[in-house]
Amino acid sequence: MTQHIGVLTSGGDCPGLNAAIRGLGKVAREHYGMRVMGFLNGFRGLAQDQTVELDGAKLSGILTDGGTILGTSRDKPHRMSIGGKELDMTDAIIATYHRHHLDALVCMGGGGTQKNALRLAEAGLNVVTLPKTIDNDIALTDRTFGFDTALQIATEAIDRLHSTATSHERIIVVEVMGHRAGWLAVAAGIAGGADVILLPEIPYDVEKIASAIRRRTQSGKRFSIVVVAEGAMSMDDARLVQGLVQVRDAADTKPRRIEAKDKLRKFHDAHVGHTIGLTRALEQLTGQESRLTILGHLQRGGTPSAADRVFATWLGTECAAALDEKQYGVMLALQGTTLKRVPLAEVAGRIRQVPLDHPLIISGRRVGTAFGD
Ligand code: F6P
């Protein structure tokens, strides 16, 4: 019997999605004789039955393209804005799945997607996921696709900022993405020879950063590059967040939990743009002219690196094999040099941060990079 497979991409886009769709689609169709259908704009397409047949023509010529031919969104199956109202679309999704006689659904996405995919698996759908995000923060996989390209873009930006920082004898603060994890910041910071790297995993003291910069000035180095992960925070802010997380996790009533969650959300909303304040503070503390560059969505755009094309293709083709073996409820994960099928339930809801004893942090410290602690 021909297997009928649905595919969607969800969450923030990243380079390599098309390579993964192509790898999966080609092998599923040509090797296993499956029929492959794409759903548009993440879980929304599944809820509203927006489809595209992934035939040979659609799968051809997309390997090197950035973004996703399927479109994406941050919509959640159980809380989707439809006609101005937030609705639970799980039943509509299940109905679409059965209307198309799907045998399985492949969800390519980051942390949020893994959680949503698990919800659908628990609602009875056969689901397999792939780990995609420039943040590299998905549990149980050593790598996610999109990360390598973003790392390359961020590193090139830091290289370019070096010459202008030197010419003007300035401090240049560079904010990189990464959500609540510092993989992109630490890797790009080391590759680009940053003088200071600030990560969510290591709360900083702005005085210590200023001292590190003053020491550089005293030794004759009249410029500094400070790479900051968007999720990095001061020691005071980190204590505040930790307190709120404790209240949320220990809350004995729903209203108390909601209140703590609300405060946490407000904190994170207000934290966007924190590097503006940090840049000003460094200028005041050191007396040295400072500038800020926020790399933003540049890091997610454009053609995937060779490494991401290879990795995403491997994941896609291996996913087709898992579907052929009817192995569901799993995410494909890189562990060492092999791809493993790990239970979705063990991935969803967890984030993988940079361990404090990770070789990236240790080697950064050894070459004299300050981490603000
Ligand atoms: O998860 C990928 C990511 O690029 C994060 O690094 C960043 O915090 C977030 O997405 C930005 O999301 P959006 O594109 O929705 O603004």
Side-chain angles (χ1 to χ4, degrees), residues 319-338:
C319 181
L323 295 169
D324 180 62
E325 290 166 34
K326 298 190 169 39
Q327 191 155 25
Y328 307 128
V330 293
M331 180 189 83
L332 296 189
L334 180 70
Q335 295 185 351
T337 54
T338 49

Side-chain angles (χ1 to χ4, degrees), residues 209-248:
I209 308 170
S211 307
I213 293 173
R214 277 190 222 106
R215 276 198 301 278
R216 279 178 58 75
T217 312
Q218 280 152 16
S219 70
K221 295 170 184 161
R222 296 218 33 90
F223 75 94
S224 290
I225 299 285
V226 181
V227 172
V228 189
E230 63 180 344
M233 58 184 79
S234 67
M235 290 178 178
D236 286 347
D237 282 346
R239 265 190 292 274
L240 182 85
V241 168
Q242 212 175 4
L244 288 171
V245 168
Q246 271 165 7
V247 173
R248 181 198 64 194

Side-chain angles (χ1 to χ4, degrees), residues 354-368:
V354 188
L356 297 183
D357 59 353
H358 193 279
L360 278 170
I361 294 182
I362 292 173
S363 56
R365 291 197 195 277
R366 282 184 180 151
V367 295

Side-chain angles (χ1 to χ4, degrees), residues 146-164:
F147 174 70
D148 184 75
T149 312
L151 172 58
Q152 203 169 294
I153 296 168
T155 303
E156 191 189 328
I158 296 167
D159 290 349
R160 288 178 183 279
L161 290 168
H162 256 104
S163 61
T164 171

Side-chain angles (χ1 to χ4, degrees), residues 156-235:
E156 191 189 328
I158 296 167
D159 290 349
R160 288 178 183 279
L161 290 168
H162 256 104
S163 61
T164 171
T166 321
S167 307
H168 287 267
E169 299 191 339
R170 281 173 172 160
I171 297 170
I172 293 200
V173 176
V174 196
E175 182 190 305
V176 302
M177 281 187 166
H179 199 47
R180 312 267 160 81
W183 294 104
L184 195 51
V186 70
I190 290 174
D195 308 300
V196 179
I197 300 176
L198 304 178
L199 310 176
E201 293 84 350
I202 307 178
Y204 64 78
D205 174 346
V206 72
E207 245 314 327
K208 296 225 166 109
I209 308 170
S211 307
I213 293 173
R214 277 190 222 106
R215 276 198 301 278
R216 279 178 58 75
T217 312
Q218 280 152 16
S219 70
K221 295 170 184 161
R222 296 218 33 90
F223 75 94
S224 290
I225 299 285
V226 181
V227 172
V228 189
E230 63 180 344
M233 58 184 79
S234 67
M235 290 178 178

Side-chain angles (χ1 to χ4, degrees), residues 33 47 66 93 102 119 154 188 266 302 311 319 335 359-360:
I93 284 174
L102 294 183
R119 281 196 190 98
K266 281 192 182 130
F311 184 39
C319 181
Q335 295 185 351
L360 278 170

Side-chain angles (χ1 to χ4, degrees), residues 271-284:
H271 198 58
V272 171
H274 68 105
T275 43
I276 299 173
L278 176 66
T279 309
R280 275 197 207 117
L282 290 178
E283 186 164 270
Q284 273 160 15

